[in-house]
Structure formats: C-alpha cells, structure tokens
Amino acid sequence: MPIAQPSVSLDEARTIIAAAFAKAAELGLKPLGVAVLDAAGHLKAFERQDGASPMRMEIAVGKANGAIALGIGSRAIFKRAQEQAYFVNAVNTLARGSLVPVPGGVLIRDGDGAIVGAVGISGDTSDQDEAAAIAGIAAAGLVADPG
C-alpha cells in the first residue's frame, strides 16, 4: 500500500483563498486570481475576483506550479532567472511553459516543514500578490515559504 503524501486539504485551500482576498481588500489591491495546488502540483482550488483579467488563472497556477516543481518559492525562481536565465528557460520548456518566474508563488509547509502545496496569486504587483498569499497561508494555520 502506498504511503500518502501530506497535502493541503480543500478546507485549507478555501481558507487560504478567502484570507488572501481579505488581505487584498485591506491593502486595496487590484482584483486577484488565487490558485492553490496540492503537494503533487494538482489544482486544489481556484477563484478569480470580479474584474480580474482573463489570464489570472494561468499566471497564478504558473507561479504555484514553479514553486512545487522546483521546491522553492517563485521569488527564489525569479532571482535564479536573473542569475541563470538559460536554466530557468530550460526548466520552463520542460514544464511546457507552465512556470511563471516572478514573486507570488509561495510554498505551503505543514508544522513539520513538509511541503503540502503552493499558492499562486496574480492580479496586482508581484510583491503584493506574494503578501496576499502569505496572509492566506497563515490564516489556514500553515507555514508560508516564499523562498
């Protein structure tokens, strides 16, 4: 029998999204799209606020997908892209273009430090997207690892 990998639950994903939207309202951010992926990189939940532009889902998923795929937050991927553009471009090619190397993709860790998922947010500046993701993860009682 295979051992189950710890993963973010649907209830936790919903809490993360609601809290990220609450943080966005508090900060006066533009309309966001928020994606939560499980530890295997599968979409657990997504919501797009009214007024958010159409590609917010793809961008949010790409930020979170990069974090899961490389085991580092998208802020760290962004830094690596500046230092090693060819490497990040190659990884994005291998990922079939589903990696968005800018801040806003944050790993979700449990209390033991295991990666249980990732949040990707798109809609405002990358730094503001990341702040909303961190707030959402904290609200779910989990640990944010922006990288």
Side-chain angles (χ1 to χ4, degrees), residues 125-147:
T125 68
S126 294
D127 289 339
Q128 296 287 40
D129 293 345
E130 183 180 82
I134 291 168
I137 293 166
L142 297 165
V143 178
D145 181 358

Side-chain angles (χ1 to χ4, degrees), residues 7-145:
S7 196
V8 64
S9 72
L10 181 58
D11 285 342
E12 290 167 332
R14 289 176 173 157
T15 297
I16 290 167
I17 291 170
F21 286 160
K23 184 67 171 181
E26 174 189 320
L27 296 174
L29 304 186
K30 296 174 185 170
L32 304 178
V34 180
V36 180
L37 306 187
D38 67 16
H42 300 289
L43 184 63
K44 194 73 170 191
F46 175 80
E47 289 189 30
R48 185 176 66 88
Q49 291 180 304
D50 294 341
S53 59
M55 283 199 66
R56 292 300 161 203
M57 180 173 177
E58 291 84 354
I59 297 167
V61 168
K63 289 179 179 185
N65 186 55
I68 288 289
L70 295 177
I72 57 176
S74 64
R75 178 172 293 281
I77 298 169
F78 174 71
K79 184 175 187 240
R80 191 150 187 199
Q82 293 172 324
E83 297 166 356
Q84 297 176 311
Y86 290 113
F87 172 78
V88 172
N89 187 45
V91 170
N92 199 18
T93 299
L94 293 170
R96 296 182 183 96
S98 66
L99 186 147
V100 178
V102 296
V106 179
L107 289 172
I108 306 167
R109 295 186 183 271
D110 65 14
D112 295 326
I115 295 171
V116 297
V119 177
I121 298 185
S122 178
D124 206 277
T125 68
S126 294
D127 289 339
Q128 296 287 40
D129 293 345
E130 183 180 82
I134 291 168
I137 293 166
L142 297 165
V143 178
D145 181 358

